[in-house]
Amino acid sequence: MLRKWDLQLSLDRSGGLPAHLQIAQQISADIQRGRLPPGASLPGSRELAAQLGINRKTAVLAYEELAAQGWLLTQGRRGTFVAPTLPLLSPRPTPAVARIAQATTRAESRFIDFGDGVPDSRLIPFDVLGRAYRRALIAAARAGRLAYGDPRGELGLRQALAEMLDMERGLNADAERICVVRGSQMGIYLAGRALLRPGDAVALDALSYPPAREAFRSLGARPLDVEQDAAGMRPDALERLCLSQPVKAVYLTPHHQYPTTLMMPAERRLQLLALSYHYGFTIIEDDYDHEFHFSRSPVLPMASLDAAERIIYVGSLSKVLAPGLRVGYMVAEPAIIERCAADIMLIDRQGNAVTELAVAELMHSGELKRHIRRALRVYATRRQTLAAALDRELAGLANYTLPEGGLALWLRLPPWTDMRRLLADAAEAGVKALPGGAFSGDGGDIPALRLGFGALEAEQLEQGVARLARALRRQIPAAGLRSS
C-alpha cells in the first residue's frame, strides 16, 4: 500500500524524553487528529530510522510501544498500519462529548495498579494467534480430535515443549515426561497431590508465592517457612529443618525468586539439590517466567542439573501470551506424570485441544519466539523507565536491585515505614502496590513493595512512582521524631 504523504516528525535531542517515546507521542497525536486514519500505512522501521537519523532499534521500540497501546497493528511482511479500532473515540467527537470523554479518561487513568507483574496482553500478535486458532480448529475437527483426548495434553504440544526445553533450558525432556496443565498454578497443585499426604511438611522461602502455600495447605500438608537471604533459601536453615522433622517437598522459584525477583546463584542451587538427595525430599521448581530474562545468558533451570530425579519442573506459557489462555506444563518422571494425568481425569478430564494445537503451531513456526523477542524489548524499556523513576523520586529513601528478569521489581523501604499507613495514603493518591507482608506465611509487616511494570506504560510508571514517593515522604517527620 502506497502512502499519500510522509510522516513529518521531529525529535528534541536535548536529553529530555527518550526518542522512541517522542516518536510514539507524535504518531498517536496524528492518529487522534485524524491525520493518520485507521488502516493507514506507516513507513518501515528502517525507513523511519533513516528519515530521522536514529538507530533502527529506536524506531522499532516506538512502533512496539504504539502497538502495545493499541494504536498500530503490525502485519508481518505487509507492514505496519494504524489499527482499525482505536483506543480513543473516533470519529472526532463534538467539543461537549470530547470534554466528557476526557473527564472519563482522566478518571479511568487516575488509579494506577502496579499489580503482580502480569504481562501486557496488548502485545499479543492477535492476527497470528487468530490464524493459528482457525487452522487448529479445522485440523482438529477433520481429524476427529475434538472428542476426548489424552489427559496429558496434545502430543504435538508436548513434543514442541520437549524440543524447546531440551534446546533452550537443558532439560532431558520428552513427550512422556511432560503433562500440559491449565497454567502453573494447576501444575503446582498437581505436583503437591503427587508428593504430599495430610500432615507432610513442605518447605518454602519465608517470602514466597501465596497461592502455592495455599495449594499445599488445601492438601492437608504443613507449609513451613525457611529463612532466605539475597541468594534465596538458605541451605543451613533448610538442613536444620530437615534434622528436626521429615520434609517431603521443597517449593522454589530460583530463576526469579518470588516475590523478591532475585536469581539464585549456581552454587546455592547445587547445595539445595545435594540436600534433596541426602534427606530424600523432592524439589518443586516453579519457573513461572523463564522467558522474561534481560541478560544474554540466563541461568538454566535446576531441573537441567538433575534429569528430574529429584525435581518436578513447572512452567507456563500463559504469561508469554496472556494469563487468560491458561497453558502450562509439568516435567517429571513418567510415574509422576501418570499420577498427574489420573488426577486430571478426575477434576478436568483434559485441556483445550484447539488452544494446545494452536500454541504448538506458534512454537513450530517460530512465531512464539518472535513474539517473545518483541515483548522483551518493550518490557526492557519499561523496566528502565521504572528504575529511572525510582532513582529520581526515591533516591536515598528506598532501594532496589534491578531485576535480571521477570516483570516486577522488589522495592525495599526504610525500616520505620508504617506499611498500613503507606498503603492507605497511596490508595488515596490513586496508586496501589502489593506490600511485602502479603508474601509471608504469617502476614507480618515487611517494609517492601512488589512493583509490576509489564502492563504499565511509561507515563503510568512515572506517575505511579511519584505518587508512592509522596505517600512515603509523608512519614518522614514522624520517623525523625521516633529516632530522636
Side-chain angles (χ1 to χ4, degrees), residues 22-191:
Q22 293 184 48
I23 297 170
Q25 286 185 359
Q26 292 179 57
I27 292 177
S28 64
D30 280 345
I31 295 172
Q32 293 176 70
R33 287 198 299 266
R35 183 167 177 261
L36 280 171
S41 172
L42 274 74
S45 57
R46 286 189 177 87
E47 181 182 346
L48 181 62
Q51 176 186 332
L52 296 175
I54 58 175
N55 188 289
R56 184 191 172 213
K57 183 178 179 181
T58 302
V60 171
L61 285 173
Y63 279 173
E64 288 176 343
E65 184 65 31
L66 286 163
Q69 295 178 27
W71 296 111
L72 299 185
L73 182 65
T74 301
Q75 297 183 346
R77 295 182 178 178
R78 288 194 62 227
T80 301
F81 304 88
V82 177
T85 303
L86 301 177
L88 293 182
L89 294 175
S90 181
R92 188 179 303 172
T94 64
V97 174
R99 285 195 296 272
I100 296 173
Q102 289 169 2
T104 302
T105 301
R106 285 196 296 269
E108 289 176 349
S109 63
R110 187 176 300 139
F111 199 86
I112 297 172
D113 187 351
F114 279 96
D116 188 31
V118 297
D120 193 337
S121 59
R122 295 169 298 182
L123 298 177
I124 297 173
F126 292 104
D127 52 340
V128 175
L129 181 60
R131 289 194 295 270
Y133 258 100
R134 183 175 182 274
R135 286 192 289 268
L137 178 60
I138 294 173
R142 288 176 175 172
R145 295 165 70 179
L146 292 180
Y148 291 126
D150 194 327
R152 297 174 299 175
E154 286 293 321
L155 178 60
L157 179 55
R158 287 188 287 132
Q159 289 173 334
L161 287 168
E163 181 180 3
M164 180 269 290
L165 293 169
D166 181 43
M167 297 295 293
E168 297 189 0
R169 305 190 195 177
L171 272 67
N172 182 23
D174 56 46
E176 299 305 308
R177 296 179 56 234
I178 294 177
C179 183
V180 178
V181 292
R182 292 183 183 268
S184 57
Q185 181 61 29
M186 184 176 178
I188 294 166
Y189 179 80
L190 289 174

Side-chain angles (χ1 to χ4, degrees), residues 296-321:
R296 293 185 177 181
S297 53
V299 177
L300 295 177
M302 291 181 69
S304 68
L305 305 170
D306 175 63
E309 293 178 21
R310 305 302 312 175
I311 296 178
I312 297 178
Y313 181 76
V314 179
S316 175
L317 295 176
S318 298
K319 283 195 172 184
V320 173
L321 293 167

Side-chain angles (χ1 to χ4, degrees), residues 22 50 55 76 98 109 120 150 204 210 215 218 230 239 249 259 273 293-294 347 355 399 437 478:
Q22 293 184 48
N55 188 289
S109 63
D120 193 337
D150 194 327
L204 304 89
S218 74
E239 186 161 27
L273 187 57
H293 196 79
F294 306 109
I347 61 176
T355 298
N399 58 81

Side-chain angles (χ1 to χ4, degrees), residues 361-376:
E361 178 185 320
L362 295 178
M363 295 180 74
H364 283 304
S365 67
E367 288 291 349
L368 187 65
K369 188 72 173 178
R370 282 188 282 274
H371 166 61
I372 292 171
R373 285 198 297 265
R374 289 192 297 265
L376 264 177

